[in-house]
Amino acid sequence: MAIDLSVLDQDQLVAATAPRGPVCILAGAGTGKTRTITYRIANLIDQGMVAPNKVLAVTFTQRAAGEMRDRLRVMGIGGVQARTFHAAARRQLAYFWPQIAGDLPWRMLDNKFPLVGRAARAAGVDSGKDMVRDLLGEIEWAKANVIGHDDYVQRIAGSGHTPPTDPSKVAQVYRLYEEGKRSPEGMLLDFDDLLLHVAAALENAPAVAEEFRSQYQSFVVDEYQDVTPLQQRVLEGWLGDRDDLTVVGDVNQTIYSFTGATPEYLLNFSRTYAHATVVKLQRDYRSTPQVTELANTVIGKAQGNTVGPKLELIGMREPGPQPTFHAYDDEPTEAREVATAIRRLLDDGVPAREIAVLYRINAQSAAFEAALADAGILYQVRGGEGFFQRGEIKEALRQLTAAANRTDLPDDPVAVARAAFATIGLTPTEPEGAQARERWQALRALVDLIEDIVQSQEAAHLPQVLVSLRQRAEAKQPPAVDGVTLASLHAAKGLEWDAVFLVGLVENTLPISHAIKAGEDQVEEERRLFYVGITRARTHLQLSWSLARQEGGHKSRSRSRFLDGLVPELEVENTPQRLKRNRRCRVCGNPLDTPAEKTLGRHADCEPDYDEAAFGALKRWRLEVSRAAGQPAYLVFSDATLLAIAEAMPADEPSLLDVSGVGPVKVENYGADVLRVLDDYREDN
Ligand code: ATP
Ligand code: MG
C-alpha cells in the first residue's frame, strides 16, 4: 500500500523522502515534526529502503510511542519499534545481559529511596525524607550527565549546578548507593543503569555491538532538544559509525534542562553530520494565527545565551478567536470562572477530551479539580497523580484522622490541620529544596481546601471535615474517562487540544520562585515552558491569574512577568461584575464582609432564602443515587445546583427545568426523583 505523501507540505516532504542517512528537522511547535517523522518511517519502509523491524523510533513518553505505533498501523505499517529510551534499553539489556554478565541475576530497583536513605545515614548526612529525595534527584542528574561518583566533585565545581549539600558528601552517598545495589545474589539496576549498561556493552563488547547493529539500522528521535548526555551516549552506541539517524526538535521547547537534558546535540547536528539533510519548518498547522502570534511574541522576548534560532511560526489554520486574558481577585474565583468557561465550550459542542487546563506545578490542580467537580464536569489529571493520591496528602489525612480522636485540641479544624501538618513539612514559610517545596505546596493547598469546606459551611468540626475530604478523595475519576485534561506544562509536551486554559500565571509560580532565585537561565526555561503551554492550543486559548490565594484574601500576588506587554493593560478583563454582585448578601442585598460570608453568599445572621433542611434531604438522596450508580456525587448534581433547587422548591418538571444548572437530560434522569424528595419533605414539615 502506497503511502499518501500529499498530506505533507513541500518542506515536510523533503524530510520525509530524503534517502537513508542523517536528517535534522529543527522547527517550531505544531509545524508537523512528529507527523513528518512518522511519514518518513512509513515511506522508507514502503519504498523498501529498510525493513520495519530494523527501525527504532525513540519518543519522549510511552504515550507518544503508542501514538506513533498506532499512526503507522493505520498506514498499514506494523513491526516498527517505537519506544522511550528507557523502554528500548530495558529490552536490549534483558537480551544481552547473559553475554555481558553471565548468569549473574539482575532485577529492576523499584524504589531507590530506601537505598539512598541508607547511604545517607552511612555517610553521616541528614537522612530526613526531603534531603534523601534531593540526594536521589542529584544522583539521577549526575548519572544523566554521565558523571560518576569518583569525578562528581571535580565535574560540578564551576558548573553552575547547585548540589543539595556538600559535594564531597553527595559523592560519598552516591558511591554508597551504587555499592548498595550490588550483592553476591545479583544486581539491582535503576533506570539510568539500564542506559549505562547498554552504552557500555555496545562500547566494550564487540559481539554485542555487532549483533545489535545488524538488527537495527535506522534510528529516529523525537523531541531531540531534551536528550541527556547519557541518552546521547546510548544513541551513539546504537549507531556505531553509521549515520542513519533522523532527529527532530525545537530548541524553544527545551524544558527539561533540570534533568541534564540539553539542546546542544540538536543544534550541533549539522556540524556532526556535515552531509545531513536539514529542514526547517515554519508553517504551524496546529494553531490559529491568533494563537501563533501570541506564541511568537512570547518567544521573541527570550533573552540570554539559551536563545534558539529565530523560528517564527506562521499560523495556517483559519482565523479564530483572540486569546483572552483574565485577572481574578482570588484563586477559587479563577477556578470557578475557568469551570464556567469550560461549561460554555462543552455546551457549544467542544468535546471534553479536547479541553485542557494547564498549570506549572501539580499542587495547583487542587483548586481546579474542586471547581470542575462542583460544576459537574468530568476530568482526568495527567502526569501527576490526582491530588488525593499524593503521598503527603495521604499522610496528612492520617494525621488529621488521629487528631480527630483527641479531645485536647482547638475547635477550629483549620488550626488543627495547620498544627498537624507542621510536623510533616508545613513550615510557616516556603522551604528550600525541590521536594520540600512541592510537599509544602501540596499541604498548603490541603489547608486551603479545609478552609473552603469550613467557610462554605459544608462541615464545621473536624470529623465532618474528614468525611467531606474522604468524599472528595473517593469522587476520583474512574480511569480513562473522556474528560477534561488537567496537566502540568511539563506533562503537556507534544500534545494538543482545541481549547487550552493556562492558569495561575503569577510571579513565583510561572516563573517558579526557585527559578527566579537561580537566575536568568532558569527564568528563560520558564519562559519556554509558557511557550509550550501556549502552543498546545488549536483554537481557544484563555490565560488567567489571581491576585489572592483565598477568597477575600490579601492580594499579595502579582501577575507573571511573561504577560508584560502582551496585552494593553485596559484589555485585561477583571473579575466580572456578575461575581462582584455575588459579594452582596443574597438575602438583604448589602455588601458582605468576611470571607466566610462571601462563600456562603449571605450574612451569617440573615435568614437563608432556601430551605436548608430540603437541601440536606436532596444531598442525602444524591449520595444514595451516586453510590448505587458507582459514580461521583457531583456527576448527579453539583452542590450549587442542589442549592438552587432547594431555593426554588419546584413542584413540577417545567419549574424544575427553570432552575439554573438543570437541563433536560437531568430532568429525564432524575426529575421524578427530585420532585418526590421535595414532596416527601413538604409532607413531613
Ligand atoms: P510539537 O512541537 O508540539 O511537538 P510538532 O511539530 O510535532 O509539534 P505535530 O504534532 O506533528 O507537530 O503536528 C501538529 C498538528 O498539525 C497535528 O494535528 C498534525 O496532524 C497537523 N499537521 C501537521 N502537518 C500538517 C500538514 N501538512 N497539513 C495539515 N495538518 C498538518
Ligand atoms: Mg511533536
Side-chain angles (χ1 to χ4, degrees), residues 504-527:
L505 300 174
V506 293
E507 283 290 293
N508 294 312
T509 298
L510 190 76
I512 193 106
S513 52
H514 54 91
I516 298 174
K517 273 189 219 148
E520 188 184 39
D521 285 0
Q522 305 245 351
V523 170
E524 287 307 312
E525 180 135 326
E526 299 285 307
R527 187 193 307 279

Side-chain angles (χ1 to χ4, degrees), residues 336-640:
R336 262 197 312 274
E337 283 302 289
V338 166
T340 305
I342 290 176
R343 167 59 62 205
R344 260 195 307 268
L345 288 170
L346 293 170
D347 290 347
D348 287 349
V350 179
R353 65 169 181 285
E354 286 300 345
I355 301 174
V357 179
L358 306 180
Y359 38 77
R360 175 63 178 84
I361 55 171
N362 287 320
Q364 284 174 277
S365 74
F368 294 88
E369 286 182 59
L372 289 173
D374 278 348
I377 297 169
L378 269 178
Y379 62 85
Q380 60 204 337
V381 182
R382 188 184 282 287
E385 328 106 293
F387 182 69
F388 285 100
Q389 271 59 56
R390 298 176 64 98
E392 57 268 23
I393 297 304
K394 287 185 178 162
E395 191 181 338
L397 291 182
R398 279 194 296 275
Q399 295 276 346
L400 269 191
T401 308
N405 293 326
R406 290 172 48 178
T407 50
D408 57 333
L409 295 174
D411 238 11
D412 175 10
V414 177
V416 176
R418 281 220 179 85
F421 303 165
T423 61
I424 54 172
L426 188 68
T427 47
T429 55
E430 190 170 319
E432 293 290 319
Q435 296 299 331
R437 214 160 30 224
E438 208 177 299
R439 157 190 295 265
W440 185 87
Q441 285 155 344
L443 290 172
R444 193 185 60 178
L446 182 58
V447 173
D448 287 352
L449 187 58
I450 294 171
E451 213 162 329
D452 277 353
I453 289 174
V454 174
Q455 286 182 0
S456 64
Q457 298 197 348
E458 189 179 317
H461 303 289
L462 191 51
Q464 294 116 294
V465 168
L466 273 165
V467 171
S468 291
L469 288 173
R470 288 204 197 97
Q471 277 171 355
R472 275 163 215 241
E474 278 162 21
K476 226 196 77 91
Q477 310 295 309
V481 292
D482 185 14
V484 171
T485 298
L486 298 186
S488 72
L489 291 166
H490 280 104
K493 180 162 146 159
L495 307 178
E496 58 187 25
W497 292 272
D498 283 345
V500 168
F501 292 80
L502 296 181
V503 302
L505 300 174
V506 293
E507 283 290 293
N508 294 312
T509 298
L510 190 76
I512 193 106
S513 52
H514 54 91
I516 298 174
K517 273 189 219 148
E520 188 184 39
D521 285 0
Q522 305 245 351
V523 170
E524 287 307 312
E525 180 135 326
E526 299 285 307
R527 187 193 307 279
R528 294 192 292 271
L529 209 42
F530 185 39
Y531 174 75
V532 167
I534 292 170
T535 54
R536 299 308 95 198
R538 293 201 193 98
T539 308
H540 305 276
L541 178 60
Q542 176 163 326
L543 302 91
S544 62
W545 60 95
S546 47
L547 301 177
R549 223 156 34 77
Q550 286 281 325
E551 194 117 27
H554 177 55
K555 294 186 184 163
S556 55
R557 300 165 156 186
S558 45
R559 71 169 205 213
S560 169
R561 67 187 69 186
F562 300 142
L563 294 164
D564 291 351
L566 293 190
V567 250
E569 296 303 308
L570 289 176
E571 269 185 36
V572 172
E573 202 180 290
N574 271 299
T575 297
Q577 282 307 314
R578 175 167 58 81
L579 288 174
K580 291 237 170 82
R581 257 186 281 122
N582 283 348
R583 298 289 152 83
R584 290 178 172 270
C585 176
R586 58 187 157 77
V587 181
C588 72
N590 290 320
L592 297 168
D593 308 316
T594 68
E597 288 177 348
K598 285 177 187 156
T599 311
L600 197 60
R602 61 174 169 84
H603 292 109
D605 49 7
C606 277
E607 273 300 298
D609 49 359
Y610 67 94
D611 195 321
E612 286 184 346
F615 180 51
L618 286 167
K619 274 175 112 171
R620 280 191 297 281
W621 162 79
R622 181 181 63 176
L623 189 64
E624 275 168 35
V625 176
S626 62
R627 285 225 176 108
Q631 50 164 229
Y634 70 79
L635 287 184
V636 179
F637 278 114
S638 75
D639 275 4

